[in-house]
């Protein structure tokens, strides 16, 4: 009943907070086995661990490109995550995008609610809270704006993007695609393949930008901002300075500290499968925070065509030998997507399903 009322109110988590609540509703309280992982043990050995930081300015320097390929290969095979600086996106574009997403979520309820839905087949622009609201055991503390930018049949008309963030999201789209293209080249080369391999497979076909808003949480020890999960393709993330993102590494949760001007990159399950485990897709989550300043993250997802049931993907034949056979069976992106939308967000269940 509480879930249904929350959904039908179209107010999102921010609306709940604006209504004056001082404790979180029961639907947001997570089970003890989840909450127990939020507190770091005092003897934690990985407090000094951090995801790799990579300088992309060497991309066009032939003598240094090989070193860059190695850095990204090492980061992606051990962490699955890294941050990139000197990524070609002006700091002004990054700052303006964060401010624009905040401005969208700060709009009055009656403005945002016109875009609210939980329909997964809706295209264009979507405002929602907890995309898996009806398929999960506990809700999480965030709201989201989704803008589909490709393929053509899903593409949002420019005039449909809310004016408060239209110019900024279109600018970020142009810049982030260049970053994604650069990274796909380097990831392909890191596998000993031609630079165009991942692009030729279609990893720039489907583009989705999501602006998440994590407001102040009165009881951050009882809920999470985002549950542990893995992504699908290549993810390019911009975050403000509030923090809260964590990556699982060696069975410990490691903080991803925000760095001004940096982008956080991670690869998803489909790239792990195609690389036959040379690259890893890892769990990540976002903590709920008692910070008065909201956490803002803007995520550009680059994926294969999801509607096709004729293209089969699996470990790349060029990487297979009698000593290193395929670890996974082939799959279609339609099968991948159906698995994604049939349950709540979770960790690597699709990878487990197609493991040979």
């Amino acid at each position: 009943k509480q879930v249904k009322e929350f959904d039908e109110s179209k107010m999102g988590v921010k609306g709940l907070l604006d209504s004056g609540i001082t404790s979180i509703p029961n639907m947001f309280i997570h089970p003890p086995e989840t909450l127990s992982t939020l507190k770091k043990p005092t003897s934690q050995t990985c407090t000094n661990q951090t995801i790799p930081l990579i300088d992309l300015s060497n991309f066009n320097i032939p003598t240094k490109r090989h070193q860059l390929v190695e850095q990204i290969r090492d980061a992606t095979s051990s962490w699955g995550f890294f941050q990139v600086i000197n990524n070609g996106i002006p700091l002004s574009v990054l700052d303006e995008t964060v401010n624009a997403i905040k401005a969208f979520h700060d709009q009055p309820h009656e403005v945002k609610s016109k875009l609210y839905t939980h329909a997964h087949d809706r295209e264009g622009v979507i405002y929602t809270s907890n995309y898996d609201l009806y398929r999960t055991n506990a809700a999480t503390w965030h709201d989201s704006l989704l803008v589909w930018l490709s393929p053509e049949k899903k593409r949002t008309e420019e005039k449909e993007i809310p004016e408060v963030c239209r110019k900024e999201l279109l600018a970020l789209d142009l810049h982030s695609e260049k970053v994604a293209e650069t990274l796909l080249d380097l990831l392909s080369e890191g596998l000993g393949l031609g630079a165009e391999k991942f692009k030729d497979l279609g990893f720039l076909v489907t583009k989705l930008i999501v602006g998440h808003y994590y407001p102040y949480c009165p009881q951050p020890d009882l809920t999470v901002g985002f549950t542990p999960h893995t992504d699908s393709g290549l993810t390019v993330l911009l975050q403000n300075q509030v923090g809260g993102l964590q990556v699982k590494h060696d069975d410990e949760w490691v903080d991803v500290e925000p760095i001004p001007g940096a982008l956080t990159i991670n690869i998803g399950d489909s790239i792990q499968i195609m690389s036959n485990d040379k690259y890893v897709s890892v769990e990540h989550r976002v903590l709920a925070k008692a910070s008065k300043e909201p956490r803002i993250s803007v995520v550009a997802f680059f994926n294969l065509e999801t509607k096709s049931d004729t293209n089969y993907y699996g470990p790349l034949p060029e990487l297979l030998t009698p000593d290193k056979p395929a670890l996974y069976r082939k799959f279609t992106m339609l099968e991948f997507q159906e698995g994604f939308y049939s349950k709540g967000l979770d960790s690597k269940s699709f990878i487990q399903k197609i493991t040979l």
Side-chain angles (χ1 to χ4, degrees):
K1 181 172 179 290
Q2 202 176 78
V3 169
K4 194 166 184 290
E5 286 176 357
F6 172 75
D7 190 30
E8 290 177 352
S9 75
K10 303 182 179 183
M11 66 166 57
V13 173
K14 185 177 186 298
L16 271 181
L17 200 62
D18 291 345
S19 72
I21 62 164
T22 54
S23 60
I24 65 174
N26 288 341
M27 61 180 275
F28 290 94
I29 297 176
H30 282 250
E33 58 268 25
T34 299
L35 301 179
S36 65
T37 70
L38 302 181
K39 296 180 175 63
K40 293 186 178 181
T42 51
S43 61
Q44 185 173 341
T45 57
C46 71
T47 48
N48 294 323
Q49 290 210 75
T50 183
I51 69 170
L53 180 64
I54 296 174
D55 185 342
L56 280 187
S57 61
N58 293 332
F59 179 69
N60 290 316
I61 304 174
T63 55
K64 295 188 176 179
R65 186 177 170 114
H66 178 67
Q67 182 184 3
L68 188 54
V69 168
E70 284 188 351
Q71 287 177 327
I72 286 182
R73 181 178 61 215
D74 292 347
T76 312
S77 59
S78 59
W79 282 85
F81 263 79
F82 53 93
Q83 294 194 76
V84 291
I85 54 172
N86 295 319
N87 46 60
I89 307 185
L91 196 57
S92 58
V93 170
L94 300 178
D95 290 344
E96 287 164 11
T97 304
V98 166
N99 292 337
I101 289 298
K102 183 176 186 297
F104 170 83
H105 287 283
D106 281 344
Q107 290 179 115
H109 165 69
E110 54 270 20
V111 175
K112 293 183 293 186
S113 62
K114 293 173 185 171
L115 298 171
Y116 186 93
T117 185
H118 266 109
H120 300 131
D121 54 354
R122 172 128 151 222
E123 295 162 357
V125 179
I126 297 168
Y127 165 60
T128 194
S129 185
N130 285 261
Y131 99 93
D132 59 349
L133 186 67
Y134 289 103
R135 303 188 306 283
T136 187
N137 294 325
T140 51
W141 203 254
H142 75 279
D143 300 327
S144 307
L145 170 70
L146 291 77
V147 180
W148 287 100
L149 290 164
S150 71
E152 199 60 45
K153 55 193 168 194
K154 274 195 167 184
R155 182 173 174 81
T156 305
E157 295 287 335
E158 283 189 20
K159 64 176 186 279
E160 292 175 11
I161 302 173
E163 189 176 357
V164 70
C165 58
R166 182 185 303 152
K167 175 172 69 75
E168 293 81 3
L169 289 187
L170 291 172
L172 183 71
D173 173 46
L174 286 175
H175 285 289
S176 62
E177 181 165 354
K178 289 177 184 171
V179 173
E181 192 170 352
T182 297
L183 294 170
L184 288 168
D185 284 356
L186 295 167
L187 287 165
S188 294
E189 290 178 37
L191 294 173
L193 305 173
E196 305 291 315
K197 185 64 180 182
F198 278 131
K199 284 188 294 191
D200 290 346
L201 285 166
F203 271 101
L204 295 175
V205 168
T206 301
K207 289 188 297 178
L208 169 67
I209 290 185
V210 181
H212 293 305
Y213 183 98
Y214 303 83
Y216 159 79
C217 182
Q219 294 174 295
D221 54 336
L222 294 181
T223 190
V224 295
F226 225 114
T227 49
H229 64 285
T230 54
D231 291 347
S232 169
L234 181 73
T235 302
V236 177
L237 165 79
L238 160 65
Q239 57 179 337
N240 67 353
Q241 299 304 299
V242 172
L245 175 63
Q246 292 186 324
V247 170
K248 199 162 196 184
H249 182 68
D250 292 340
D251 288 326
E252 297 281 3
W253 286 105
V254 178
D255 293 325
V256 177
E257 298 295 344
I259 298 172
L263 297 170
T264 302
I265 311 298
N266 73 285
I267 69 149
D269 292 352
S270 56
I271 294 181
Q272 173 173 329
I273 294 163
M274 288 183 187
S275 76
N276 210 37
D277 278 7
K278 283 189 167 64
Y279 295 150
V280 294
S281 166
V282 301
E283 291 178 73
H284 47 288
R285 70 182 183 185
V286 178
L287 303 180
K289 307 274 276 188
S291 160
K292 293 297 181 185
E293 177 72 17
R295 169 180 166 79
I296 307 289
S297 68
V298 192
V299 198
F301 294 102
F302 296 89
N303 283 308
L304 300 158
E305 170 62 78
T306 53
K307 294 291 186 185
S308 172
D309 209 14
T310 56
N311 293 331
Y312 280 82
Y313 302 97
L316 297 171
E318 302 96 314
L319 304 179
L320 305 181
T321 66
D323 295 333
K324 294 181 180 175
L327 300 173
Y328 305 100
R329 68 166 172 81
K330 291 188 175 182
F331 66 96
T332 66
M333 284 306 292
L334 196 61
E335 179 187 11
F336 189 105
Q337 190 180 40
E338 284 169 355
F340 187 75
Y341 285 123
S342 65
K343 55 187 173 8
L345 270 180
D346 65 2
S347 304
K348 301 178 89 77
S349 64
F350 186 77
I351 275 187
Q352 290 158 7
K353 178 182 173 184
I354 68 166
T355 297
L356 292 170

